[in-house]
Amino acid sequence: MSHYRIGIVGGDGIGPEVVAEGLKVLDATGVSYDAVPFDLGGARYLRTGEVLPDGVLEEIRGLDAVLLGAVGTPDVPPGVLERGLLLRLRFELDLYVNLRPFHAPPEVDMVVVRENTEGAYAGEGGFLRKGTPHEVATQGSVNTRMGVERCVRFAFDLARTRSRRHVTLVHKTNVLTFAGDLWQRVFDEVAAEHDDVGTGYHHVDAACIYFVQDPGRYDVIVTDNLFGDILTDLGGAVSGGIGRAASGNLNPARTGPSLFEPVHGSAPDIAGTGRADPRAAIMSVAMMLDFLGEAEAAARVTKAVAGSEGATGTTAQIGDAIAEGV
Ligand code: IPM
Ligand code: MN
């Protein structure tokens, strides 16, 4: 029987509350693991000024997976924790696919493959003449053939494991003529190697309409980092709410641990009230189990979450009900 070392980053706001329920459910599966807790997030930053010390990052590299709640608190300037902790982990651990599935029976069963290490998130750009009336700000989008291709290949491989076997590229090729052209060419090349997978293309603005009006049309979607960020909040909103949306930041090459987290943020406004829905964190545990090769345990968690549809109560009560169903 395998044994795993799982890093636990509760983070800020409701993060620690929902992660606690995720671990409750993980315990209920009987999968053997050690929880390795990390004090990272707003509290540590305010205490010590540290966001992600190099030594901590090295410790994380040696783990089998990481479960993260949420980062970001109103006490810390916006972006410090998001970029310094979450994005740094995505980049340093080469978590190049952000996998975000959405289910709303009977018709919605789609999964977004969001590129997770490039695009507008790469931090390319800068200021000229900052603070003057003539100041200039640029913010580029970095798209490498390697980075695009590995995501597109992941999406096609994923589609082959699903019954509908279909991939839609979402971009804005009519305006983003350089990045969009690279994405479209790579997509077409990979598609040509996958005759058994159907393909489609939607501009991102049109995809937003389809997400709201007819999300059942999608199977696998592949898209860039920023479009994927926006589209997956919308995906959550149209399939049971953002409190249900789970994600896996994957290193499919398995050169290090992958990181699993709810799509939602730290929601400081409801922290401590017991009102946070732990299902997104619990489904992130299911995704983690699946990626670790514990498909049977993952399926039991997924089924228990589906069976908890009517469950109401506090964060902990919902967690209890799901843990009992595992
Ligand atoms: C997400 C979040 C992050 C992102 C933030 C916290 C940097 O919104 O995981 O979707 O933009 O990727
Ligand atoms: Mn987001």
Side-chain angles (χ1 to χ4, degrees), residues 100 114 121 229-230 232-233 263:
R100 296 187 159 179
R114 167 186 171 188
Y121 281 68
D229 176 48
I230 298 164
T232 54
D233 267 26
V263 174

Side-chain angles (χ1 to χ4, degrees), residues 102 104 106-111 162 164-170 198-203 205-221 238:
F102 299 99
E107 74 275 11
V108 182
D109 180 13
M110 63 176 169
V111 53
R162 298 165 59 90
R164 284 192 284 171
R165 293 180 168 237
H166 191 276
V167 186
T168 305
L169 171 64
V170 171
T199 61
Y201 170 81
H202 287 154
H203 291 319
D205 48 352
C208 288
I209 295 180
Y210 296 136
F211 261 53
V212 172
Q213 292 188 342
D214 183 22
R217 66 165 61 217
Y218 291 115
D219 181 19
V220 178
I221 289 173
V238 299

Side-chain angles (χ1 to χ4, degrees), residues 149-287:
E149 187 173 336
R150 61 189 184 173
C151 279
V152 169
R153 287 196 180 279
F154 183 94
F156 275 87
D157 289 344
L158 178 63
R160 276 191 167 154
T161 70
R162 298 165 59 90
S163 57
R164 284 192 284 171
R165 293 180 168 237
H166 191 276
V167 186
T168 305
L169 171 64
V170 171
H171 210 282
K172 186 76 184 177
T173 54
N174 52 346
V175 175
L176 304 183
T177 49
F178 310 122
D181 189 74
L182 177 62
W183 274 85
Q184 184 74 67
R185 276 185 289 120
V186 170
F187 185 82
D188 292 344
E189 284 168 26
V190 176
E193 296 172 25
H194 295 76
D195 284 343
D196 54 328
V197 178
T199 61
Y201 170 81
H202 287 154
H203 291 319
V204 64
D205 48 352
C208 288
I209 295 180
Y210 296 136
F211 261 53
V212 172
Q213 292 188 342
D214 183 22
R217 66 165 61 217
Y218 291 115
D219 181 19
V220 178
I221 289 173
V222 64
T223 191
D224 89 347
N225 207 340
L226 185 56
F227 294 147
D229 176 48
I230 298 164
L231 217 45
T232 54
D233 267 26
L234 188 55
V238 299
S239 59
I242 199 72
R244 304 294 178 87
S247 78
N249 296 259
L250 307 182
N251 174 337
R254 297 182 191 262
T255 56
S258 292
L259 182 152
F260 299 82
E261 54 163 346
V263 174
H264 65 67
S266 56
D269 51 328
I270 61 162
T273 66
R275 282 167 53 215
D277 191 334
R279 289 178 181 91
I282 295 169
M283 280 308 297
S284 301
V285 167
M287 291 184 76

Side-chain angles (χ1 to χ4, degrees), residues 66-85:
V66 179
L67 185 63
L68 185 143
V71 295
T73 153
D75 305 335
V76 175
V80 170
L81 299 167
E82 293 91 326
R83 284 198 314 279
L85 182 52

